[in-house]
Amino acid sequence: MSREHLSQALRRIAESGTTAMTDRATALREAGRDIISLSVGEPDFDTPPHVLGAAQVALNTGQTKYTPVTGTLRLKQAAALHFRRDLGIECRPEQVMVTAGGKQAIFEAIAATVSEGDEVIVPSPWWVSYPQMVRFAGGKVVPLITQAHHGFRFDPGDVEALITSRTNWLLLNSPCNPTGAVYSRELLRGIGEVLRRHPQVLVLSDDIYGPLNYTGEPHATLAEVCPDLADRICTVSGVSKSHAMTGFRIGVATGPAWLIEAMGRLQSNASGNPSSISQAAAVAAFEGPQDFLDQWREVFRARRDLVVGAIREIPGLSTPVPDGAFYCFVDATPLMSRFGGDDGKLALHLLEHGVAVVAASAFGGKDGFRISFAADEQVLAEAMRRIAEALE
Ligand SMILES: Cc1ncc(COP(=O)(O)O)c(C=O)c1O
C-alpha cells in the first residue's frame, strides 16, 4: 500500500502520540526491559463486579444481536438518568446517542458538522485526538493557548478574541486530559456570556472525567450552568474512565435533536450499534451503586499528591496541582537544553531509564511531559525515583 492510495483526509492526520508511546513501552517490556508505563489513559482499577455481572447476564440471555444503531432504549434511559443526576442536564432518552466510546461521539459530532475551512477553537494543551478529528474533517484548529502558571485555565475574553465568522465549534474538556484543569462555574458562566453574542458557535463539552474531580466542589458543565444554551451544546460522557470500562467501548452524548440525528446517520453507515453486551453492562454502570467512586477519588487524590510532591523535588521540573482526571502535566523548561529543546527526546530519555511518559508536544504543549498517575503508589514512587535519577 503506497502513500498515493491514501485519501486527502487521512493524509492530514497522524497516529495518536499517546498510543505510539504506549506501544513502544509494550515492545520494550516484551523484550525483557523493566518499564513502568505512565503513558496510558485508563484507570488501573478493576471494573466493578455488578457491571461484570450485567455483562454475564446479557451473554447468558442471548443479548448477542444487533440493537438499534444509536443504542438500546434501556441504555438511553440509564444515560438520561446519568446526565440528570451526575451532570445536572435534563434530557429525554430520545436526545441520547450511544457510541463505541466517548471518542466515537466526539468524532461523529465533528465529522457531521465541520466543513473545509471551518474553525474550531481548542484549548491547548489538548487531548491528542481533538485536532486530528478537526483536521480529518477539513477544519482549521484554532488553539486557545493556556499556561501552567494560570492552572491551564483561560478567561472568557480569550475565547471571544479567537471567534470569527468561520468559528463553528468551541471544544471544552473539564476535567482536562492532559492538564487536570477543572473549569469553575464562574468560568462557565463567563463562557456562556460570550457565546450568547456569537450564535453560530456550537460547544462540545467533553465531560468524560466528570466524576474524577478532587476540588470537593460538584462537577460543573456548560449545559447545566447555562441551560438557555443547551440547544447548541453537545455533552459527551461515558463509562470508560468513571467505571474502569475502557475495553467495553461505550460513550454517550446528548445535544440538540438535529445533531443527535446527524451523528446517528453517520454511525448507521460507519459502525452500526455499539456492542450489545457492553450496552447491557453500561446500564448497570449508570443505574447501579456509585459509592465506590468516593473511594476511587480518594485513592487518586493521594496518588496525585505523591506525584506532585515528587515532581516538585526534582530540580528543573514543576507542575500545577491537577484538580481532576489522573494526569500531571509537567514543565521541564530549565532542562530542555540537555535535549536540544525537543521534549520527544526527553520522553525517550526517561524511557531509557524505565519510565514511559508522553511528551508535552503530543498535546500541543511544549518542553515537558504528561504523567498518568493511574498506577498504585509503590509503582508511582519507583517511577518518580527513576525520573529523578534520569534527570540528575
Ligand atoms: C479527554 C478525553 N475524551 C474522550 C476520551 C475517549 O474515551 P473513550 O475511551 O470512552 O473513547 C478520552 C480517552 O482517553 C479522553 O481522554
Side-chain angles (χ1 to χ4, degrees), residues 3 27 31 50 58 83 87 92 102 115 130-131 136 141-142 148 165 198 230 292 326 329 341:
R3 197 179 140 72
H50 64 277
F83 279 118
L87 300 171
R92 294 186 311 280
S115 303
Y130 296 145
F136 188 77
V141 177
V142 179
S165 58
H198 302 279
F292 65 92
F326 39 74
F329 205 66

Side-chain angles (χ1 to χ4, degrees), residues 41 100-104 106 127 130 173 175-177 206 208-209 236-241 246 249-251 327 370:
K103 193 178 249 181
Q104 188 180 27
I106 302 165
W127 179 46
Y130 296 145
N173 174 214
C176 172
N177 173 9
D206 179 350
I208 198 109
Y209 294 95
V236 174
S237 185
V239 287
S240 300
K241 317 287 177 173
T246 44
R249 310 308 304 135
I250 293 292
Y327 309 102
R370 185 196 75 174

